[in-house]
Amino acid sequence: MTDSLGPLRQAMAELSEHGGSADLYEGALHRSRRSQRRAAVATGVAAVAVVSALGGVVALAVGHRSDLSGTPAATPGGAGPGNPDCPSIDTLGALVELPRDWSFTATGVQCAQTWAAADVTRPAGGNVRYLFHYATDTGWRYYGQGAEWDCAELGLTRPAPFCTS
């Protein structure tokens, strides 16, 4: 058997003299640094997205809270200062935005002095009450939601249907 690969070996040897060695180390370093930069950018973008989402949730929650300063939302019609008429469900409904599928019940509004409570029905079951407070300078304002409140903490001197004591 004759070796006919001699000319091919000689051509390959000449090419290798002029080409130098392939340096894979620098290429691997370059790719590693590039992937580190991409990971850092992706982490930064994710952090900005989380902070923005949290900021939006906080802004939405704060937007649904009524503070006790501002223009009067509903003024009672003639009961005199400090002794307001009991508001209607429509009046109280204009003060808050109920979650989807929640609604005020038809039982009406329960009032005691400057406080009013309205029952709200939820699709998940169980009722919750929304409590509103009246002040002469601001009118009726949303106070909070729950099942019952302590009359003494609200400053009520008489028992109320929405109080525990």
Side-chain angles (χ1 to χ4, degrees), residues 72-162:
T75 308
N83 191 17
D85 287 335
C86 195
S88 68
I89 289 179
D90 294 333
T91 300
L92 298 181
L95 299 176
V96 294
E97 184 178 336
L98 294 176
R100 196 173 83 108
D101 297 332
W102 289 31
S103 63
F104 285 107
T105 61
T107 58
V109 180
Q110 300 170 328
C111 294
Q113 295 174 355
T114 58
W115 295 92
D119 290 330
V120 175
T121 302
R122 302 180 295 178
N127 290 347
V128 67
R129 285 185 175 152
Y130 274 42
L131 186 65
F132 300 86
H133 184 252
Y134 177 80
T136 55
D137 59 335
T138 61
W140 287 104
R141 293 288 181 194
Y142 171 76
Y143 180 79
Q145 65 180 346
E148 294 180 327
W149 292 269
D150 184 356
C151 280
E153 288 180 9
L154 298 177
L156 293 172
T157 56
R158 294 175 290 191
F162 49 83

